[in-house]
Amino acid sequence: MQDHIQEIILENIPDAVCLFEGDSCNLRLIVISSKFKDMSLINQHKTIMKLLESKFKSGDLHALSLETRII
């Protein structure tokens, strides 16, 4: 699952660095990118969550702790 999440993010944010902690039941994701430079924290999170929307709808992903950082 982590590889697929990273693939989705990198397709849309090529300079992203994705760091994962935990497992599929308790997954923490840290996404680092220069794309976040002029975005509010809430918009950074919305950007990532929108990319993963299909994974939540399908039930493949049901919980995610998300942190975003700017390069």
Side-chain angles (χ1 to χ4, degrees):
M1 175 58 68
Q2 293 178 8
D3 290 339
H4 193 62
I5 290 171
Q6 182 169 325
E7 183 180 307
I8 291 168
I9 292 171
L10 289 175
E11 283 176 3
N12 294 277
I13 308 173
D15 77 336
V17 175
C18 299
L19 307 172
F20 295 90
E21 296 176 0
D23 57 26
S24 60
C25 293
N26 188 20
L27 187 61
R28 180 168 189 248
L29 170 61
I30 301 168
V31 181
I32 307 165
S33 172
S34 62
K35 177 176 180 148
F36 301 141
K37 183 180 176 199
D38 295 319
M39 298 172 79
S40 67
L41 182 60
I42 189 92
N43 285 335
Q44 293 172 27
H45 285 220
K46 283 181 179 181
T47 298
I48 298 301
M49 296 306 276
K50 182 71 174 169
L51 294 176
L52 301 177
E53 185 175 35
S54 67
K55 292 291 161 203
F56 282 104
K57 285 185 179 179
S58 71
D60 290 339
L61 187 60
H62 58 86
L64 179 69
S65 174
L66 178 61
E67 181 180 335
T68 53
R69 300 179 187 164
I70 302 166
I71 291 177

